[in-house]
Amino acid sequence: MDRLDHIRAVALELFAGKGYEATTMADIGDAVGMRAPSLYKHVTSKQDLLAEIMTATMRELLVANRAAVATTTDPVERLRRATEAHVRYHARHRREAFVGNREIRSLVEPHRGRVLDLRAEYETCFRDLVRAGIAAGAFSVTSERLASYAILDLGMGLAAWYRDDGEHSEDAVVWQYSEFALRIVGSGR
Amino acid sequence: MDRLDHIRAVALELFAGKGYEATTMADIGDAVGMRAPSLYKHVTSKQDLLAEIMTATMRELLVANRAAVATTTDPVERLRRATEAHVRYHARHRREAFVGNREIRSLVEPHRGRVLDLRAEYETCFRDLVRAGIAAGAFSVTSERLASYAILDLGMGLAAWYRDDGEHSEDAVVWQYSEFALRIVGSGR
């Protein structure tokens, strides 16, 4: 991990633990063992750190989504695999999901608009998958938007309760939640 | 609204806006127009305010759940109405849901344990409803626990994105999400 990655990881942990507002650049410097002048060689501000963490999270989700969808042309399998990627990301990146959900109001423009645009783009991916399944006669849904929101909510909820040492393995949760997503669109078994 | 309710409402708004850690009793005093000596006549500490907000939220959810379940003996209708109550509460109490999700780690004992117990009790209500539906042959679920988590996640997710002036009315969201819950347990249309 290079120096900047280390600073971001430490900032993420502090933002998740005590919140963005309550975290100072001095806290981040202490945790990485750097004084302010050195720290400011790597990052321009606390706000930039938050923006980088949140945009990186959304970009990773979009990349994972595209990779999953590209593996099949079947609309049911596409939604299943996109949901698997979504749920697995949230199981593995609980801090990013938590901070992303909690600190959106701490972002200022232009960062806030950019993250909201990336979120809208990600939500559109799921809505398009739902729409394609309806067009193919595989799904039955009243509101494509609410169905895609509900599927996305499964990931965010999971990030709040999932634990690596919990009762359910990551795979078990990924497979069950993906089955729930297919059931939500009227295509599950 | 009496004085204490007003203090709690103001504290909730500040906790939701800038976070528990970053909120001081002086901020709360300023927002309600009271100096510290008067404020401390009504509340003993910031921690107590957070604990009261979070336990009240869980008690309200439990009361709403019991009231909904008591209106029918049919297991499918019970889960539908319990989910309607859950989703409607989260649409109407987004700040409470947001703070409840975000600040659980800011609670210290014995408050934290008490809130976690109430959450476990609430989750058990849903698991019992899922189990009753399976026993009645109405639901088909691999993991009762994951199904109840997924249904609860729908409420928490909704609290993050729902807006009163949004595209969907509260009723539309409540009915759709309850239908999603029934689909998750294999009983939807």
Side-chain angles (χ1 to χ4, degrees):
Chain A
M1 196 186 283
D2 74 9
R3 189 57 70 93
L4 183 55
D5 286 341
H6 182 215
I7 294 168
R8 282 188 195 157
V10 162
L12 175 63
E13 191 167 338
L14 287 166
F15 295 163
K18 60 184 199 171
Y20 174 80
E21 280 284 346
T23 300
T24 64
M25 283 293 269
D27 294 333
I28 297 168
D30 286 347
V32 292
M34 292 171 81
R35 287 166 178 276
S38 309
L39 185 60
Y40 280 104
K41 269 187 218 156
H42 297 278
V43 294
T44 54
S45 67
K46 188 174 74 150
Q47 175 69 209
D48 274 0
L49 271 172
L50 180 65
E52 280 161 18
I53 288 167
M54 288 179 73
T55 51
T57 299
M58 289 316 304
R59 288 221 184 85
E60 283 164 22
L61 279 167
L62 282 161
V63 166
N65 180 276
R66 286 191 200 110
V69 168
T71 57
T72 173
T73 57
D74 178 75
V76 177
E77 277 309 303
R78 280 194 155 169
L79 183 63
R80 183 199 303 279
R81 294 178 197 181
T83 306
E84 286 200 7
H86 177 70
V87 171
R88 200 177 292 281
Y89 185 91
H90 281 78
R92 290 191 185 176
H93 299 87
R94 297 193 295 279
R95 278 181 188 149
E96 286 87 340
F98 185 72
V99 169
N101 182 32
R102 173 166 91 170
E103 301 294 2
I104 186 73
R105 19 190 127 178
S106 301
L107 277 183
V108 298
E109 296 300 347
H111 304 309
R112 189 181 169 133
R114 200 175 309 146
V115 170
L116 290 176
D117 284 349
L118 288 167
R119 281 194 188 189
E121 186 183 341
Y122 188 62
E123 193 266 315
T124 301
C125 293
F126 279 85
R127 208 174 337 149
D128 288 347
L129 291 173
V130 173
R131 194 174 291 136
I134 295 169
F139 301 161
S140 162
V141 167
T142 307
S143 163
E144 295 151 12
R145 187 187 289 260
L146 287 180
S148 67
Y149 280 1
I151 293 168
L152 294 172
D153 291 347
L154 293 179
M156 280 177 280
L158 178 97
W161 65 259
Y162 183 74
R163 295 293 171 265
D164 292 323
D165 57 356
E167 184 190 345
H168 304 281
S169 72
E170 183 183 298
D171 277 342
V173 173
V174 164
W175 292 328
Q176 269 283 287
Y177 267 48
S178 303
E179 195 58 44
F180 293 155
L182 293 186
R183 285 182 166 192
I184 283 172
V185 296
S187 169
R189 277 158 300 168
Chain B
M1 196 186 284
D2 74 9
R3 190 57 70 93
L4 183 55
D5 286 341
H6 182 215
I7 294 168
R8 281 187 196 158
V10 161
L12 174 64
E13 191 167 337
L14 287 166
F15 295 162
K18 60 184 197 171
Y20 175 81
E21 280 284 346
T23 300
T24 64
M25 283 293 268
D27 294 334
I28 298 168
D30 285 347
V32 292
M34 292 171 81
R35 287 166 178 275
S38 309
L39 184 59
Y40 281 103
K41 268 186 219 158
H42 297 278
V43 294
T44 54
S45 67
K46 189 174 73 151
Q47 175 69 210
D48 274 0
L49 271 172
L50 181 65
E52 280 161 17
I53 288 167
M54 289 179 73
T55 51
T57 299
M58 289 316 305
R59 288 221 183 84
E60 283 165 22
L61 279 166
L62 282 160
V63 166
N65 181 275
R66 285 189 202 110
V69 167
T71 57
T72 173
T73 56
D74 179 74
V76 177
E77 277 309 302
R78 280 194 156 169
L79 183 63
R80 183 199 303 279
R81 293 178 197 180
T83 306
E84 285 200 7
H86 177 70
V87 171
R88 200 177 291 281
Y89 185 90
H90 281 78
R92 291 191 184 176
H93 298 88
R94 297 194 295 280
R95 277 181 189 148
E96 286 87 340
F98 185 72
V99 169
N101 182 32
R102 173 165 91 169
E103 302 293 2
I104 185 73
R105 18 189 130 178
S106 301
L107 276 184
V108 298
E109 296 300 348
H111 304 309
R112 189 180 169 132
R114 201 175 308 146
V115 169
L116 290 175
D117 284 348
L118 289 167
R119 281 194 187 189
E121 186 183 341
Y122 189 63
E123 193 267 314
T124 302
C125 293
F126 279 86
R127 207 171 339 144
D128 288 347
L129 291 173
V130 172
R131 194 174 291 138
I134 295 169
F139 301 161
S140 162
V141 167
T142 307
S143 163
E144 294 151 13
R145 187 187 288 261
L146 288 180
S148 68
Y149 280 1
I151 294 167
L152 294 172
D153 291 348
L154 292 179
M156 280 177 279
L158 178 98
W161 65 259
Y162 184 74
R163 296 292 171 267
D164 293 324
D165 58 356
E167 184 189 345
H168 304 280
S169 72
E170 183 184 295
D171 277 341
V173 173
V174 164
W175 291 328
Q176 270 283 287
Y177 266 49
S178 303
E179 195 58 43
F180 293 156
L182 292 186
R183 285 182 166 192
I184 283 172
V185 296
S187 169
R189 276 159 300 168

